[in-house]
Amino acid sequence: MTTPETSRFVRIRVELVVEIDDEEALTGAALQSLADDADLPDAEGTRSEHAVTEDTAEALAHLVDPFDLVGGVPGVELQQASWSSEQIDYDPDSPEWDLHEDDDDENDPEDDEVRVG
């Protein structure tokens, strides 16, 4: 299947909406993760502690690691990742939240949607 015309690189786009039902637990886990990171410089740790304490979206972004999504997949090496989080107003019935709105072809069999809940 590998030909000179076929790229070995694949972009996976994932968009998640999560509900935070225990802000204290989330913030505590992020702070513990920072405390456990021996390689984190003090100044950066202080800035990160402030960020995760003030903003649950920052706490979540600190705990989410894209490598965890593909780290155990055989034959795959993560080359680049970026992610962010933000607090949003969410209405699952709104057309604004159509997961396929950016798709060129809504009937593309390679677009697999998994809904949780």
Side-chain angles (χ1 to χ4, degrees):
M1 180 163 180
T2 301
T3 65
E5 297 84 33
T6 304
S7 175
R8 296 178 10 176
F9 299 96
V10 175
R11 176 177 291 164
I12 298 175
R13 293 186 181 149
V14 177
E15 183 170 333
L16 304 170
V17 175
V18 300
E19 181 178 2
I20 308 300
D21 60 3
D22 189 342
E23 289 183 26
E24 254 182 54
L26 175 63
T27 301
L31 289 171
Q32 186 62 52
S33 175
L34 288 167
D36 292 344
D37 188 349
D39 296 329
L40 188 64
D42 288 342
E44 186 177 337
T46 301
R47 282 191 302 272
S48 296
E49 285 176 10
H50 179 72
V52 302
T53 301
E54 296 297 316
D55 186 353
T56 55
E58 285 292 326
L60 181 61
H62 177 76
L63 293 170
V64 172
D65 184 352
F67 180 78
D68 291 342
L69 295 173
V70 296
V73 178
V76 173
E77 182 179 340
L78 183 63
Q79 295 296 310
Q80 180 179 350
S82 66
W83 67 104
S84 64
S85 63
E86 62 186 340
Q87 292 181 344
I88 59 168
D89 293 322
Y90 178 64
D91 176 6
D93 298 323
S94 170
E96 176 183 334
W97 291 101
D98 180 11
L99 293 178
H100 291 292
E101 71 183 25
D102 293 334
D103 293 347
D104 293 331
D105 182 1
E106 289 184 11
N107 298 318
D108 187 347
E110 292 186 23
D111 289 337
D112 293 331
E113 176 183 335
V114 177
R115 283 215 148 180
V116 178

